Amino acid sequence: MNAFVHAYRGEQVENRHRVSLAIHGQEGLLAYAGNPGLWAYMRSSAKPFQALALFLTGAVERFGLTEEEVALATASHDGTPKHVAVAARFLEKLGLGPEHLACGIHPPFSREARRALEEAGLSPTPLHHNCSGKHAGMLAAALALGAPVEGYERPDHPVQLLNRKTLSELSGTQPTHATDGCSVPTFALPLARAARAFYLLARPEEAPEAYREPLLRVRQAMRRHPELVAGPGSIDTLLMERLPLVAKRGADGYYGLALSESPQGALGVALKVEDGSSQAREVAVVALLRLLGLDPGPTPWDRPEVRNHRGLVVGHLEAQLEPTWV
């Protein structure tokens, strides 16, 4: 069946955001909507799997990395002072600095953090980039492998080859890759295969043996430090604070979920809003969780209002999800 997030203006549907998703359970593909075979770039939703390199290379032990630093390696963070401090500490443990990060620079996602920088007359640094933790993790893995830190973002670097191998073995499919917004490779998989990887994040004991402890420890770090994975009020943080799951947003309408518990058992979910709308993505994710019998409580993404420039309510967003159960 098809799935959409409808954007209403008044009582009329103005835009239809088509959603494709796949849900993986213990027996395999459990349910889907739209096209479960859709190849989609995971973008930042792949970060929990890229962070596995910290354990696979021994970087955690070598550099004495804490759960906070592991959590930041999975993050699309808001650039708050706490995020920046953890990123700086991470790099200090490696003997490196912000100048070694290849992610580029953008203002903090957090309005408060952005305003504080502006009021202080300061400019953002690579530490404020939402991917600074992921890049610090890749630098740590490079050092642990004995590989050069220069060029760690290139697809032929040993760290990126390891990341590609990891996703291949957890999904059961060889991913393709292109360049992400932060300059490292972003991997594409069919949604159903990505959902399998997220299922193994929910159930590490069913993964190939080499990945079991790394998956468990990455999941624990994210669950214990959800504020570092995104930030106050962000969907990833809110969902992990309220429900027994790992939640990871990705750019351009992608979302991944690893549900340790649900009425259907452990589940892995990969979801893509095909036109890339992040606003529709959040609405679809919350609606899907409710459909699966999980209640996150009130959220800003339940039938959110659309307002015009005067603040008048002129419409709303509403999900219509009718997955097919296999």
Side-chain angles (χ1 to χ4, degrees), residues 160-247:
Q160 305 306 336
L161 295 176
L162 175 60
N163 289 338
R164 186 172 185 178
K165 176 174 181 270
T166 295
L167 266 176
S168 174
E169 294 189 349
L170 294 178
S171 69
T173 299
Q174 186 67 238
T176 62
H177 66 87
T179 304
D180 210 338
C182 64
S183 297
V184 300
T186 177
F187 299 103
L189 287 167
L191 291 174
R193 307 313 296 174
R196 179 180 187 267
F198 279 103
Y199 172 78
L200 294 175
L201 183 58
R203 295 279 293 175
E205 60 270 31
E206 297 184 30
E209 187 172 359
Y211 296 104
R212 291 174 188 172
E213 184 178 356
L215 284 164
L216 176 63
R217 293 179 68 181
V218 165
R219 188 184 74 187
Q220 287 177 339
M222 296 177 75
R223 295 279 303 137
R224 291 172 179 169
H225 302 281
E227 77 287 353
L228 289 175
V229 177
S234 297
I235 187 170
D236 295 355
T237 297
L238 182 148
L239 292 179
M240 286 192 286
E241 288 174 341
R242 298 182 181 180
L243 294 171
L245 52 76
V246 165

Side-chain angles (χ1 to χ4, degrees), residues 4-8 15 17 280 283-284 287 301-304 316-321:
F4 293 93
V5 173
H6 291 138
Y8 285 84
N15 296 306
H17 303 279
V283 175
W301 308 287
D302 291 290
R303 206 174 183 272
H316 69 277
L317 274 71
E318 188 173 331
Q320 180 184 345
L321 305 181

Side-chain angles (χ1 to χ4, degrees), residues 11-60:
E11 299 303 315
Q12 177 68 41
V13 174
E14 183 173 33
N15 296 306
R16 292 175 176 83
H17 303 279
R18 176 181 160 94
V19 178
S20 283
L21 63 91
I23 303 173
H24 190 100
Q26 189 172 33
E27 302 301 321
L29 183 65
L30 182 66
Y32 65 91
N35 178 11
L38 177 70
W39 282 78
Y41 287 109
M42 298 176 72
R43 306 297 295 274
S44 286
S45 293
K47 286 176 179 176
F49 307 106
Q50 292 164 314
L52 298 177
L54 292 172
F55 298 96
L56 296 171
T57 64
V60 169

Side-chain angles (χ1 to χ4, degrees), residues 31-324:
Y32 65 91
N35 178 11
L38 177 70
W39 282 78
Y41 287 109
M42 298 176 72
R43 306 297 295 274
S44 286
S45 293
K47 286 176 179 176
F49 307 106
Q50 292 164 314
L52 298 177
L54 292 172
F55 298 96
L56 296 171
T57 64
V60 169
E61 290 74 20
R62 174 172 173 178
F63 299 108
L65 301 179
T66 66
E67 274 194 342
E68 284 193 336
E69 288 141 8
V70 173
L72 196 76
T74 74
S76 300
H77 67 72
D78 287 351
T80 68
K82 183 172 184 178
H83 292 122
V84 171
V86 175
R89 185 180 73 206
F90 198 153
L91 288 171
E92 185 177 354
K93 288 183 175 182
L94 308 181
L96 302 175
E99 69 276 9
H100 292 95
L101 298 174
C103 53
I105 300 172
H106 64 62
F109 288 165
S110 164
R111 293 180 182 178
E112 293 79 8
R114 188 163 61 244
R115 188 181 306 115
L117 279 179
E118 292 169 353
E119 290 175 353
L122 299 174
S123 298
T125 74
L127 297 175
H128 294 92
H129 194 289
N130 80 94
C131 296
S132 63
K134 175 178 76 172
H135 281 249
M138 291 176 175
L139 286 166
L143 290 170
L145 286 170
V149 295
E150 294 79 12
Y152 73 89
E153 74 278 11
R154 293 198 303 262
D156 60 350
H157 189 278
V159 170
Q160 305 306 336
L161 295 176
L162 175 60
N163 289 338
R164 186 172 185 178
K165 176 174 181 270
T166 295
L167 266 176
S168 174
E169 294 189 349
L170 294 178
S171 69
T173 299
Q174 186 67 238
T176 62
H177 66 87
T179 304
D180 210 338
C182 64
S183 297
V184 300
T186 177
F187 299 103
L189 287 167
L191 291 174
R193 307 313 296 174
R196 179 180 187 267
F198 279 103
Y199 172 78
L200 294 175
L201 183 58
R203 295 279 293 175
E205 60 270 31
E206 297 184 30
E209 187 172 359
Y211 296 104
R212 291 174 188 172
E213 184 178 356
L215 284 164
L216 176 63
R217 293 179 68 181
V218 165
R219 188 184 74 187
Q220 287 177 339
M222 296 177 75
R223 295 279 303 137
R224 291 172 179 169
H225 302 281
E227 77 287 353
L228 289 175
V229 177
S234 297
I235 187 170
D236 295 355
T237 297
L238 182 148
L239 292 179
M240 286 192 286
E241 288 174 341
R242 298 182 181 180
L243 294 171
L245 52 76
V246 165
K248 190 68 203 71
R249 61 187 173 181
D252 289 300
Y254 202 97
Y255 211 89
L257 292 162
L259 286 67
S260 301
E261 303 171 26
S262 82
Q264 298 81 21
L267 300 174
V269 177
L271 179 151
K272 169 73 174 178
V273 178
E274 294 187 19
D275 65 7
S277 169
S278 59
Q279 187 180 31
R281 173 192 64 194
E282 266 78 335
V283 175
V285 167
V286 171
L288 178 62
L289 288 171
R290 296 193 187 283
L291 190 66
L292 294 173
L294 295 170
D295 181 11
T299 81
W301 308 287
D302 291 290
R303 206 174 183 272
E305 296 174 338
V306 175
R307 294 178 178 268
N308 70 5
H309 297 294
R310 289 181 56 203
L312 301 176
V313 177
V314 297
H316 69 277
L317 274 71
E318 188 173 331
Q320 180 184 345
L321 305 181
E322 298 177 3
T324 297

